[in-house]
Amino acid sequence: METATERTERGGSGGAGSAARSRAGLLALVAAVYTYALVVFGGIVRITGSGMGCGEDWPRCNGQWIPAFTFETTIEYTHRLLAAGIGMVVLGVLGYAFMKRSTPGMAGRGGLLRPFGLAAALFVLQALLGAVTVRLELPTHVTVAHFIMAMLFIATLIVAAVRAGVFGEVGSAGTPDPLAKRAAMWAFTTAAVGLIVVAFGAVTANTPGSPPACTGFPLCSGSLLPPAGAVPAEIHWAHRVAAFTLLFVSLAAALAAHRSRSPSPVRRAAWTAVGLIIAQLVVAAVLVLMALPPVLQALHLAVGAAVWFALVVWSAQARRAVTGMA
């Protein structure tokens, strides 16, 4: 059985420490949702062709702090302002956690301070990648790295929110049985596959000719395999294979969570993720069959980012249910 001291070390047992942890968790959730919106807006920058709306200048825009606003400039400049805003939010959350570091559940292993510190470091790296992306005029590999970094940034904030119990307390019922451990491993595997899908999606979206390279759905231009040597089609096809793999793995993982009688917050997160994955496949099918209209491209990105959000919540909750830490 878990002792009162262990509960206090893991997450606080009430009072001021618990309140501070809850407030920090809510701030982490706000920052994660803000970042999610920023990622979707970043997709709009790409979809509208506004990535060079500020030219090659960074942090200035076309050589000015407040530029002349064309359509593309307005989109890109707004994205930069929103990105600066999330930096202020994360610094504020980190500062709050640091001031409350002596309260139970804030510092140390399994506390909130570490993911907040990692989020701050990732934000700095993300800003530098953004500058490099603009300076090099949006090369695919840097743009993809910029997007993946944003997904990892969101993940650190979600982990902090899970540790604070924002998505429901699951705790740890002492020594977990093998089924619970296996279910947690399935959840982690699903999140790992989800990150692979995100990476392939970013490569597909940013490789010229790749988004329209496979017409029809689920086949690629009427064939099970893409044409040999057609790199854009092969990239698109690989993204589809990864997406279907994610569906099957997530279903197996959700069933494992059900069989192991995981806590209800874990099972709820699992089936939410599965539902979003199915919704994303439907959006992807309609997107391809309708010849990639911009509105559906934005929706595809929005649902895809929501899938990642849900997968991180699920895997962090599952780990917390087994180990007491996310």
Side-chain angles (χ1 to χ4, degrees):
M1 292 291 292
E2 188 179 38
T3 67
T5 300
E6 288 170 336
R7 285 194 300 271
T8 299
E9 291 175 349
R10 177 172 54 81
S13 57
S18 180
R21 191 171 67 103
S22 296
R23 282 193 293 269
L26 288 173
L27 289 172
L29 178 60
V30 169
V33 173
Y34 186 128
T35 307
Y36 167 82
L38 180 61
V39 166
V40 175
F41 197 88
I44 293 173
V45 172
R46 173 182 56 79
I47 292 164
T48 59
S50 303
M52 297 303 296
C54 286
E56 298 179 14
D57 296 324
W58 192 95
R60 294 189 180 188
C61 182
N62 293 325
Q64 300 176 343
W65 291 110
I66 301 179
F69 290 107
T70 64
F71 174 78
E72 290 81 7
T73 300
T74 300
I75 296 294
E76 171 62 9
Y77 189 74
T78 301
H79 181 241
R80 291 190 183 186
L81 289 178
L82 291 172
I86 190 59
M88 297 301 101
V89 171
V90 170
L91 287 177
V93 174
L94 177 61
Y96 177 81
F98 184 77
M99 288 189 297
K100 299 291 184 180
R101 64 189 181 279
S102 61
T103 60
M106 194 66 73
R109 189 164 178 245
L112 306 187
L113 194 55
R114 288 184 181 181
F116 286 148
L118 180 57
L122 287 174
F123 172 77
V124 173
L125 291 175
Q126 180 73 335
L128 293 174
L129 268 177
V132 172
T133 302
V134 171
R135 293 287 187 180
L136 297 181
E137 299 185 16
L138 312 180
T140 296
H141 63 287
V142 180
T143 303
V144 170
H146 187 60
F147 182 76
I148 294 175
M149 187 75 73
M151 296 294 100
L152 296 176
F153 178 70
I154 288 177
T156 61
L157 296 169
I158 294 172
V159 166
V162 168
R163 288 183 177 184
V166 171
F167 298 97
E169 285 287 4
V170 294
S172 176
T175 304
D177 61 41
L179 281 179
K181 288 183 177 179
R182 192 174 299 118
M185 183 57 68
W186 269 108
F188 179 81
T189 301
T190 305
V193 175
L195 186 59
I196 293 172
V197 175
V198 164
F200 270 116
V203 173
T204 301
N206 290 282
T207 300
S210 189
C214 285
T215 59
F217 191 92
L219 299 178
C220 179
S221 302
S223 300
L224 181 61
L225 298 176
V231 175
E234 290 173 345
I235 292 173
H236 188 141
W237 177 81
H239 176 50
R240 291 193 186 186
V241 171
F244 280 111
T245 300
L246 177 60
L247 174 62
F248 298 136
V249 171
S250 68
L251 284 170
L255 290 172
H258 181 77
R259 287 195 300 269
S260 68
R261 297 182 180 179
S262 297
S264 59
V266 176
R267 285 181 277 123
R268 183 167 59 246
W271 291 113
T272 298
V274 171
L276 285 170
I277 291 167
I278 293 172
Q280 177 70 330
L281 288 172
V282 172
V283 171
V286 177
L287 172 65
V288 171
L289 294 174
M290 294 187 65
L292 311 176
V295 172
L296 287 182
Q297 289 184 51
L299 180 61
H300 186 57
L301 172 61
V303 180
V307 167
W308 172 245
F309 200 113
L311 289 175
V312 176
V313 172
W314 176 12
S315 60
Q317 286 280 64
R319 183 172 185 267
R320 188 171 177 80
V322 171
T323 67
M325 296 181 294

